[in-house]
Amino acid sequence: MEQRINALREAMKQQIEQINSKENLAAFWQDFLGKKGSIADLMKGLGTVAKEDRPAMGKVINDFKVQVEEQYRVMSERMEQMELQARNRMEAVDITLPAKKHPQGHLHPLTLVRNEMINVFAGMGFDVFEGPEIEDDDHNFTRLNVPKDHPSRDMQDTFYLENDWLLRTQTSGGQIRVMDAQKPPIKVLVPGRVFRSDSDATHSPMFHQMEGLVVDKGITLCDLQGMLDKFVQQLFDASVRTRLRPSYFPFTEPSVEVDVSCFECAGKGCSLCKHTGWIEVLGGGVVHPKVLENCGIDSSVYSGIAFGIGIERIAMLKYGINNIGLLFENDVRFLKQF
Ligand code: DAH
């Protein structure tokens, strides 16, 4: 019996040295300490030992059992340690590695320009009002002094919907909505999308305008030019000047086309200004008395100025974009440049 125990002790020492996983460790436990393991076997064999030797032999078996259990405990702890170390190695973070970059989006160039324009006018005390994109004939045309069958309707290729509804061709209808809701003094911007059946390198069937309206006592064309001077100087360059050319819009009298001196060549002549030294940027004028009257504002007491700016046009000039389509294709290679 004693020989068997010594042989098992040797086998145990060898097996313990080879343990390198939890599976090995579990097998070791089964082999020695399990129900059918070697120590249970030894216990069973105790019956064949002479009665007087049994207590001593029992103690030897028990000491061996304690020794095996101790080895098992030490090995379990070592396995736990190894596992922990392996996991820590796997989860280790190298803080010297360059961080993963999450590309950040930004506002669309049209939104940037729109915000910039609003900022400049807000500095002069303008509020912002937004009207509906589906508009009625009355607000888009008739009350702006464009009666049905008036030839000036042909200035804009309108998308008509059912009955008297249409997709607004201009933000000017916002003037009517503002004057219906509010009495002078009025100083308001109406930015928004407009629609016309028109498409080429500089025209898109959907584009953006910003309307401006000022109504108060004693407002004149000089106020328009003064405001627009400040506007273009802040938007383009402090050195640019404006020039008013006579024009025609049904809702203003007189009407003007507003040019800025070319900020690219300082008026000397270049491809941007088509060698004229001037760039057309917007239309405007003194609000036609009929338009004021159409909104219940006494034109013998009040007068107004109005203007309409194409936001795409300003963005294209500012950023040197030669095709309006680029602003709507949303190609990130283009958008990233802003
Ligand atoms: N609505 C005009 C257009 O779309 C632009 C415009 C011109 C607006 C003169 C105005 C204005 O308010 O006074 O072409």
Side-chain angles (χ1 to χ4, degrees):
M1 187 105 191
E2 226 162 334
Q3 267 176 3
R4 251 185 86 201
I5 294 175
N6 284 339
L8 277 171
R9 193 173 280 126
E10 276 312 304
M12 191 262 303
K13 276 180 191 160
Q14 275 182 21
Q15 200 168 331
I16 209 103
E17 267 163 32
Q18 280 161 18
I19 288 174
N20 59 6
S21 71
K22 279 205 154 167
E23 287 74 29
N24 294 159
L25 186 66
F28 172 84
W29 192 89
Q30 285 294 346
D31 289 352
F32 290 91
L33 299 164
K35 262 190 197 150
K36 292 177 183 158
S38 322
I39 288 170
D41 245 14
L42 291 174
M43 288 297 195
K44 273 183 217 147
L46 208 54
T48 63
V49 174
K51 210 175 177 189
E52 61 276 20
D53 294 338
R54 249 181 241 164
M57 195 47 70
K59 186 173 180 311
V60 173
I61 295 171
N62 212 45
D63 287 349
F64 178 52
K65 188 180 174 203
V66 169
Q67 193 187 4
V68 174
E69 280 170 348
E70 175 62 11
Q71 289 288 354
Y72 176 79
R73 194 188 57 76
V74 169
M75 220 46 199
S76 293
E77 265 172 25
R78 200 175 296 168
M79 285 294 113
E80 295 275 339
Q81 281 294 326
M82 275 167 60
E83 258 186 16
L84 188 68
Q85 280 167 6
R87 200 166 63 230
N88 285 347
R89 257 197 309 280
M90 283 243 306
E91 290 173 1
V93 176
D94 182 350
I95 55 163
T96 66
L97 282 175
K100 270 190 204 154
K101 285 203 178 132
H102 296 283
Q104 248 197 338
H106 60 74
L107 295 176
H108 189 278
L110 283 177
T111 311
L112 293 173
V113 171
R114 175 189 185 271
N115 291 351
E116 203 179 331
M117 289 166 69
I118 290 176
N119 263 344
V120 175
F121 284 114
M124 302 183 210
F126 279 75
D127 287 330
V128 174
F129 167 84
E130 287 184 68
E133 290 174 4
I134 294 176
E135 186 56 285
D136 56 44
D137 191 281
D138 231 35
H139 288 89
N140 195 79
F141 290 127
T142 309
R143 291 174 70 197
L144 282 165
N145 197 31
V146 190
K148 287 218 163 84
D149 305 324
H150 192 278
S152 67
R153 286 211 176 197
D154 295 341
M155 288 167 77
Q156 303 175 355
D157 287 315
T158 310
F159 289 114
Y160 285 98
L161 308 172
E162 281 183 344
N163 302 323
D164 262 351
W165 297 102
L166 45 81
L167 295 182
R168 68 175 173 196
T169 58
Q170 52 188 359
T171 43
S172 304
Q175 291 186 28
I176 304 294
R177 291 189 176 274
V178 170
M179 287 190 281
D180 275 350
Q182 197 183 320
K183 294 302 150 210
I186 292 170
K187 219 176 190 182
V188 74
L189 292 176
V190 187
R193 282 199 284 192
V194 298
F195 307 85
R196 289 183 200 178
S197 180
D198 201 357
S199 186
D200 60 33
T202 53
H203 296 90
S204 154
M206 185 281 295
F207 61 104
H208 299 76
Q209 284 187 334
M210 180 141 5
E211 194 76 15
L213 174 71
V214 179
V215 183
D216 203 350
K217 289 179 183 157
I219 298 290
T220 70
L221 197 62
C222 292
D223 297 307
L224 180 70
Q225 185 161 27
M227 277 182 187
L228 293 178
D229 263 340
K230 290 280 166 280
F231 168 65
V232 296
Q233 282 160 7
Q234 289 200 40
L235 207 68
F236 296 114
D237 190 286
S239 65
V240 300
R241 288 165 297 133
T242 57
R243 170 176 90 168
L244 307 187
R245 277 181 296 111
S247 184
Y248 171 75
F249 297 104
F251 29 88
T252 41
E253 181 55 39
S255 301
V256 293
E257 211 77 67
V258 181
D259 297 342
V260 290
S261 56
C262 184
F263 42 84
E264 199 68 26
C265 63
K268 288 189 203 73
C270 68
S271 60
L272 184 69
C273 60
K274 301 198 184 83
H275 302 281
T276 63
W278 295 93
I279 303 170
E280 185 189 319
V281 287
L282 60 102
V286 175
V287 180
H288 198 295
K290 275 194 188 163
V291 176
L292 297 179
E293 298 292 342
N294 285 343
C295 300
I297 293 174
D298 186 346
S299 63
S300 65
V301 179
Y302 294 102
S303 58
I305 51 172
F307 54 88
I309 312 175
I311 301 182
E312 280 77 3
R313 172 139 182 86
I314 300 294
M316 288 169 80
L317 287 171
K318 217 173 141 62
Y319 297 127
I321 300 163
N322 56 14
N323 191 326
I324 197 169
L326 289 166
L327 289 167
F328 304 117
E329 280 162 10
N330 288 333
D331 184 331
V332 282
R333 289 169 301 182
F334 170 77
L335 295 178
K336 266 186 186 165
Q337 300 174 45
F338 300 92

